[in-house]
Amino acid sequence: MADEGDDPLDALLETEKLVIKQEVSLLEVAAQTAANALDLDALGNLGETANKYDIFTDNGGLKFKVIETSEACGFTGCCPSGRICCNPNHALQLHVFAPEHSPKDAIMFVDRPCKCGQCCSCCSICQQEMRVYRGADDGPAGGEGDVESQIAYIHQPFMGGGFSPKLQVMEREDSEDIMFNVQAKAMCCIGGICCDHTFEVTDSEGEYMGKIVKEAPEDLGELAKELGTDADRFTLYVNPELEKEKKAAMLASLHLLDYMFFESEGAANVDLTNLANGGCPELTIKCCDCYCCGCLCPCSMTCGGADGNDDADEEEADDFQIIEEEEPAEEEEPAEEEAQEEE
């Protein structure tokens, strides 16, 4: 634990590169696999658990751990805001702490309210946001008692950056000065399992401050995890001379991007319901998400899925059509009768 009077964010002073890996939840994998096999999306939500992340330095050493706290069936007023109903747009808090300590000794925590996600960000209820605080969450859950310790406010601007996803970071909600912007280096296309996806961090004048990279799978093990789970791997690059508060805000922005674009489900979906009818399983692989003004539309490809009954009906229809097309052959008159007629 840090000595009294020390700033807990001092742990970020020498940070230049961090590798963030989300832990795989076996309960989520089992629930999502069953949901895909039975074609019941709601079943997958029942197994949704709070996320956990490990943060490593560039030499592989474990530097921080991140734990999500959220309610499975929570409500904000009369509106549901828990994981089961609203994942991945549910209300949550993330606590960042050293591996030898506990969340009670966190160096920072973030709070995100429940929002309507994957839709046009033209009003506040559809614009993602997150507040970043110094130290542990000592007050009521959500940071209501930690106003003085708030160091950053992250929000999705009006229309979400158009065709390129964008986040704006400032010190407070009512601040007019932009601390930095986070914007995807892509147009319309987000995610995908075949390549890295980069979000560049620049100050209000466009000067480079760092970048956030959603890493593509590097081997078969990572590819299988990408296809079957929502556990992802990110790399955060920051200018080592940046203030520690800005580094903390960049780390929080990375997690907000994960929930916005990469937390829905695995990239592969195997539907086994056709086996009951003697058909083939249906495999759907999500290639990427099409993005426009905050709206997300998955772009996927599907193969298989033929129903045995459908095949039998098609064969019967083809046989019937062949029978209809066949016409009786005309009988040929004997050659002798033709000769008599000519005489």
Side-chain angles (χ1 to χ4, degrees), residues 228-256:
T229 73
D230 57 12
D232 301 302
R233 183 169 62 94
F234 294 84
T235 303
L236 173 65
Y237 301 88
V238 299
N239 186 334
E241 298 178 356
L242 283 179
E243 297 91 331
K244 51 193 174 185
E245 290 82 5
K246 293 182 179 180
K247 293 180 180 180
M250 290 174 65
L251 181 59
S253 300
L254 180 150
H255 285 91
L256 181 55

Side-chain angles (χ1 to χ4, degrees), residues 24-34 36 193 217 220-232 264-270 283-286:
V24 176
S25 169
L26 296 181
L27 177 59
E28 282 190 12
V29 173
Q32 192 61 50
T33 301
N36 292 342
I193 61 175
L220 292 179
E222 290 187 359
L223 179 60
K225 185 170 71 172
E226 184 83 11
L227 292 173
T229 73
D230 57 12
D232 301 302
S264 54
E265 73 274 336
N269 183 336
V270 181
L283 173 63
T284 302
I285 297 179
K286 186 174 76 171

Side-chain angles (χ1 to χ4, degrees), residues 23 36 51 68 138 146 157 207 213 216 277 285 343:
E23 296 183 10
N36 292 342
N51 285 358
E68 171 194 328
D138 297 326
D146 301 275
E207 294 295 327
V213 181
N277 298 323
I285 297 179
E343 292 176 358

